[in-house]
Amino acid sequence: MGAGAGVSTGTAARWVERWERQQQLYAVDREERFAVIADLVEHVAGGRPAPLVLDLGSGPGCLAARLAARLPGAEVVAVDADPLLLELGSAHYGRALRFVNALIGEPGWLDRLGLDRTADAVVSTTALHYLGERTLRRVYGELAGLLRPGGILVNGDHISPDSARMSELARDVGRRHAARHAVCGHEEDWESWWSGAAGDPELAPLLSHGGEGGRAPCEGNDLTVSGHVALLREAGFTDVGAVWQVGPSHVLAAVR
């Protein structure tokens, strides 16, 4: 899409910053999780010329921009289905990223990415839990086929441990971590961000009638860590496992 034709750079910067702040409510130790994901991508793709990296469910491109800064010369593609978030990212980050409007798992969604080569890395953060298990199984298989041998899929998300007791403990750890870092008292959340965006005359035309951009209904899944690992192995990934965790927030890595 175009480089922010409908939103000024000043407006985009302000709303992307607000997006970053409200997202801290929903990802335990979000900045460290982003850094871990970037570490993994750099480990796998950092020595390759012009690596191709995809960020699925990118929002306005906050993680994608960090990856582009970490890997100068990489082609970083930010993929999301929300026209408002894509427009904000395009206006704010400009040509550092390529933005694509596509709904993950929709029939033909990979064709919309316009890729002419295999990817070195695919990342996603706080997005794949929206997919139902059947859809996620298919998407994992599609991504295995999209990655080069040795390429990596990295998923940072809310993923429960394998037992109810461990899940309870992980949630408590997450709550205590947030309280220690003064995240719980944050002034803006998901609903208030979208409500504020609807009241901004530059952004309102990009919102759907539902008030939250172009997001599809959430199918959702309750897969545990071992459930994700099983699906990824079934999809053809050879090495799979959790490489980072704080409370219920995990980073799973899967190598093709």
Side-chain angles (χ1 to χ4, degrees):
M1 67 185 288
V7 177
S8 69
T9 55
T11 295
R14 183 170 68 255
W15 281 98
V16 170
E17 181 184 5
R18 286 179 63 171
W19 177 267
E20 293 254 30
R21 291 202 308 270
Q22 62 94 357
Q23 283 288 291
Q24 292 175 24
L25 286 173
Y26 306 105
V28 179
D29 211 349
R30 177 175 181 262
E31 200 60 45
E32 179 64 15
R33 188 165 80 178
F34 278 4
V36 169
I37 293 171
D39 288 343
L40 293 167
V41 173
E42 185 176 25
H43 181 85
V44 169
R48 297 176 65 85
L52 172 61
V53 181
L54 311 181
D55 180 10
L56 305 183
S58 65
C62 302
L63 173 58
R66 288 164 170 80
L67 293 171
R70 183 75 77 90
L71 296 171
E75 179 185 359
V76 181
V77 183
V79 183
D80 204 278
D82 191 294
L84 171 58
L85 298 180
L86 290 169
E87 184 69 16
L88 288 174
S90 183
H92 184 54
Y93 295 115
R95 295 184 178 179
L97 307 174
R98 179 164 69 88
F99 289 89
V100 176
N101 189 327
L103 181 62
I104 303 167
E106 184 179 53
W109 73 282
L110 287 180
D111 294 334
R112 303 193 65 176
L113 306 187
L115 304 179
D116 59 2
R117 56 189 172 120
T118 55
D120 295 279
V122 177
V123 305
S124 185
T125 181
T126 323
L128 296 183
H129 67 265
Y130 283 101
L131 303 181
E133 183 174 345
R134 179 180 299 178
T135 303
L136 186 59
R137 172 182 277 107
R138 176 166 47 79
V139 167
Y140 278 160
E142 291 171 329
L143 295 177
L146 184 65
L147 284 160
R148 65 166 175 83
I152 192 169
L153 169 62
V154 187
N155 181 19
D157 212 337
H158 318 300
I159 304 173
S160 296
D162 291 322
S163 74
R165 180 59 173 156
M166 288 299 103
S167 293
E168 177 188 347
L169 291 173
R171 287 192 298 270
D172 188 60
V173 168
R175 285 192 294 267
R176 291 172 185 267
H177 183 281
R180 285 194 297 273
H181 292 79
V183 173
C184 291
H186 204 283
E187 71 278 5
E188 185 163 56
D189 60 13
W190 174 271
E191 289 77 15
S192 63
W193 189 94
W194 286 101
S195 176
D200 187 313
E202 280 193 72
L203 306 189
L206 294 166
L207 284 166
S208 71
H209 295 301
E212 292 191 3
R215 298 201 172 276
C218 176
E219 297 175 327
N221 68 74
D222 57 0
L223 289 166
T224 64
V225 170
S226 64
H228 280 275
V229 169
L231 288 187
L232 288 162
R233 291 192 184 283
E234 179 185 316
F237 290 93
T238 56
D239 292 289
V240 184
V243 296
W244 180 87
Q245 177 190 1
V246 176
S249 181
H250 284 78
V251 173
L252 296 183
V255 177
R256 178 75 171 88

